[in-house]
Amino acid sequence: MARQLVTGNEAVARGAYEAGVSFASAYPGTPSTEILENVGTYREITAEWAPNEKVAMEAAIGASMGGVRSMAAMKHVGLNVAADPIFTFAYMGVSGGMVFVSADDPGMHSSQNEQDNRNYAKFMKIPMLEPSDSQEAKDMFRDAFDISEKYDTPVMFRMTTRVCHSKSLVELGERKEFAAIPYVKNRMKNDNVPAVARNLRVKMLERDRRLAAYTNDCPYNFAEYNGSKKIGIVTSGISYQYAKEVFGDSASYLKLGLTNPLPMDMIREFRSNVDTLYVIEELDPFLEEQIRAAGIDCVGKDKIPLVGELNPNIIRKALLDEDVPEILFNRNLIVDRPPTLCAGCPHRGFFYECAKRSDTVMVGDIGCYALGGSEPLNAKDMAICMGAAFSLAHGLDKAFRKSGQDKTIVACMGDSTFFHTGINSLEEVVYNDSHVICCILDNRITGMTGHQENPGTGYSLQGEPATIMDIETIVRSLGIERVRTVNPLHLDDMKAALDWAYREVHEGPVVLITRWPCVLKKLSTEDRREFRPVPAVCTVHHDTCIGCKKCLTTGCPALSFDKYERKVSIDPLQCNGCTVCAQVCPKQAIVKGAKKA
């Protein structure tokens, strides 16, 4: 068979293909996004972007109940959204095999928390697989469907950022087709009302016992005894790779691939053969606590950090008290490069105008626009989770009015976030009479995770034309009358829209829709006709520039200031001709120049 160098996410997609999966659904979220993007390249599989993770999970559950193999994928916080249906489905069991991916993010590379979702599997009493490289990701995901069907259970497939995005060689296999299982009415299995659920709960515990027996014989749980049995290491996932890099053949390993339930018989046997047992795992002491509860002595989180992503150097220092020599350099010479809104980003004009207004509380959400709180814009005050901006603003409004605090609340979220859970959030504002300004930043794509389609873009994951859901129509259908749509790159129009919103909000909720495509989006023919992207870049006339730095307050990365000449310059390779800086300049020193190459 052919071998390819692929990421863990690509390997999962290949595993789905080889397993005969028929249906796949997801909401994009780093580090899981590329799974569905790659599943979508296999035309044998119907692959879809869902509005949110709960809907993705429910669709995959429905497909399983319809008799085909199905999957859902999400990042770790997405499982919080999808928890409601999967907890109940864990009682009911499958028809066609059903596996879902939870991609955790230790170190919070692109997340608002680093929760350890292994705890979900224990909570739900379902089997959980954890790969440590791309080959295992492909093989385990393929085999997970056999486990799902054999034990009549959904299976959790837990990955982490490092496994999702690192590459290793994978031996490819062929697709195995599975005929759909004909649907048969079975209310005592599929209709989880209390009378049914009570019986299913008992069956669930019996399944858990059978899985506990299987996990001691699972081929993905195995011991590696090397020359020395002085040190034994129990580990799983990417931590196995780190441990091997640190200890090599000087230790023996119990490598766990099926980590819920734990193979306690195997762990006891392994412990009896080594002098000292270390448990190496990222984040929570998930393995360690269960091992200790079984009366097995081990060393774990008393030495291994509880917070953040591990790496070989951290493990080496924690367990061997050894430091790895570092290349010394003058850190004062390193310029910080924090993330920033792209040059030409349509969100910049919105945040620039919002930041000017005093006595305003700005509530943000999860997306590119999270950067609106960074310098020099400094516009955003707070954020919690996807789709929460409007409901959070509602609670603030009730508190401020109760306590007599005279502040205007502006809440914002993106178009994909609005479709995710923002519509429900806006319903709260309308139903319970909030006096807040709700802003939907429609950049015509799911921007932060790499330009995935959503219900407002007009295309499906696999590139097929789809019904466009118009945001303004949806907003008005909820009963909001004070609605305006504006191009945020036209600062005068943006200012006028905010002035209007600040006046109208005293009468009730207001919705502003900023509408302009992400500067990195490849526009369709229809979008080009509507938005006509500016082909010219901006340049600075240095004889007119007075070095006031007003343009720098927009935070555009294409702008730079020469402290010796006291002038601003624009990098033509970054500039996209949005003209926000030109509108800000008090001396009209910035003008459109040559066409962008």
Side-chain angles (χ1 to χ4, degrees), residues 134-154:
S134 298
Q135 182 70 58
E136 283 193 343
K138 192 270 287 185
D139 293 342
M140 284 184 179
F141 199 76
R142 178 198 61 209
D143 296 346
F145 290 89
D146 294 334
I147 295 172
S148 174
E149 291 168 354
K150 179 178 179 180
Y151 292 94
D152 193 18
T153 178

Side-chain angles (χ1 to χ4, degrees), residues 408-481:
T408 301
I409 303 167
V410 178
C412 68
M413 65 177 65
D415 49 331
S416 183
T417 308
F418 177 71
F419 292 121
H420 180 275
T421 36
I423 296 175
N424 295 137
S425 192
L426 188 57
E427 287 174 340
E428 168 79 343
V429 167
V430 178
Y431 178 58
N432 288 301
D433 188 31
S434 285
H435 291 239
V436 298
I437 301 171
C438 299
C439 304
I440 302 166
L441 313 184
D442 180 10
N443 64 357
R444 318 299 299 140
I445 201 70
T446 309
M448 188 176 183
T449 49
H451 289 190
Q452 291 75 35
E453 306 294 345
N454 67 52
T457 65
Y459 293 93
S460 70
L461 181 150
Q462 294 182 309
E464 301 297 329
T467 300
I468 296 176
M469 298 185 189
D470 181 69
I471 293 174
E472 183 168 339
T473 301
I474 293 171
V475 169
R476 291 187 183 278
S477 72
L478 295 178
I480 297 180
E481 299 174 353

